[in-house]
Amino acid sequence: MTSLDPVLDKDGVRLTVEDAVATVTLTNPAKRNAQSPALWRALTEAGRVLPGDVRVVVLRGEGKSFSAGLDRQAFTPEGFDGEPSFLDMARGPEAELDATIAEYQEAFTWWRRNDLVSIATVQGHAIGAGFQLALACDLRIVAEDVHFAMRETSLGLVPDLTGTHPLVNLVGYARALEICATGRFVHAEEAERTGLANLVVPADQLDAAARDLAAALVSAPRDAVVETKALLAGALSRTYEEQRIAERAAQGRRLRDLAGITD
């Protein structure tokens, strides 16, 4: 994409905006874009400062890997500078630990807002928190060398950064359980076949593929895309009849809007 002055550039996260398309880039390739609480706060801030006319957000990682997951320094006694270590947090009150994890999760929740469509472009390793960050987005374009893995269980932990819900929705309970419990790699062919990936391309074509998809998404009227996304996002939690009712209500809103009728 065109190099623009960043709206935000801190703690391994850079946000740039070009017209209706924003790009969030993980910018620590030397550590394979390993994640930390500071990075999560920066991702949360990126969502909060998005201009209102942004319709598509592209998430990408610099270097050979999208994100190798949580920086293991979190589990050392010293933790990160200025941050409590995860071990110290575990020794504290349970309510405080729960609130801290909820704060971390905010970095992963805004990508599915109804007013946006988010696209993760994923190359190389997307492990643990990296896998969950890719799952946080609506759509995923992956490189032929992609390696997804959910390694939390092998560390005695569980995936807790909002990845379990989209994973089950995409691949089903049985396959999601097998992926998480074994920690095995999911490669490009399986990712596309099971619905984890919308498209597989050579690594050097990721950015171009994202630009093409973003252009197609912004070509449709915004309100129609917003209503359609809301319909689809809620479909699994509704009965067939409830979905029919939701479709009628959404279409009624669109027709009234096109006719210039205000409630």
Side-chain angles (χ1 to χ4, degrees), residues 31-220:
K31 296 194 73 171
R32 295 194 300 166
N33 298 312
Q35 298 180 30
S36 66
L39 180 141
W40 293 334
R41 285 191 290 271
L43 285 175
T44 299
E45 185 177 347
R48 290 174 179 164
V49 302
L50 278 180
D53 56 353
V54 167
R55 297 181 53 187
V56 175
V57 182
V58 177
L59 172 64
R60 59 188 299 276
E62 289 183 346
K64 294 182 178 181
S65 288
F66 174 73
S67 174
L70 179 64
D71 190 323
R72 297 296 181 87
Q73 188 174 337
F75 293 104
T76 62
E78 60 273 15
F80 301 101
D81 290 343
E83 303 271 0
S85 76
F86 281 22
L87 300 177
D88 288 339
M89 289 192 301
R91 298 185 184 102
E94 186 175 341
E96 290 184 13
L97 178 60
D98 183 79
T100 299
I101 295 173
E103 178 189 349
Y104 296 161
Q105 288 176 330
E106 291 180 10
F108 296 75
T109 57
W110 63 267
W111 304 90
R112 292 192 179 235
R113 283 167 28 187
N114 283 342
D115 61 323
L116 303 170
V117 178
S118 55
I119 306 166
T121 63
V122 188
Q123 79 281 6
H125 289 87
I127 310 297
F131 192 4
Q132 293 187 78
L133 186 56
L135 286 166
C137 293
D138 295 305
L139 310 172
R140 278 153 298 282
I141 302 173
V142 307
E144 294 169 338
D145 68 347
V146 75
H147 291 67
F148 288 116
M150 203 73 83
R151 289 290 171 81
E152 286 82 353
T153 307
S154 62
L155 298 173
L157 303 170
V158 301
D160 67 336
L161 297 171
T162 78
T164 58
H165 190 276
L167 182 62
V168 171
N169 281 345
L170 289 166
V171 305
Y173 160 75
R175 189 180 296 270
L177 174 60
E178 181 248 331
I179 288 171
C180 292
T182 65
R184 70 171 177 86
F185 285 124
V186 177
H187 299 105
E189 185 277 330
E190 182 183 356
E192 186 174 37
R193 173 167 48 82
T194 59
L196 279 172
N198 296 84
L199 182 66
V200 177
V201 299
D204 62 0
Q205 296 180 21
L206 273 178
D207 288 341
R211 286 195 297 270
D212 289 345
L213 180 54
L217 290 167
V218 300
S219 68

Side-chain angles (χ1 to χ4, degrees), residues 252-263:
R253 287 191 293 272
R254 296 303 312 125
L255 290 169
R256 287 193 296 274
D257 183 65
L258 291 173
I261 299 171
T262 57
D263 294 330

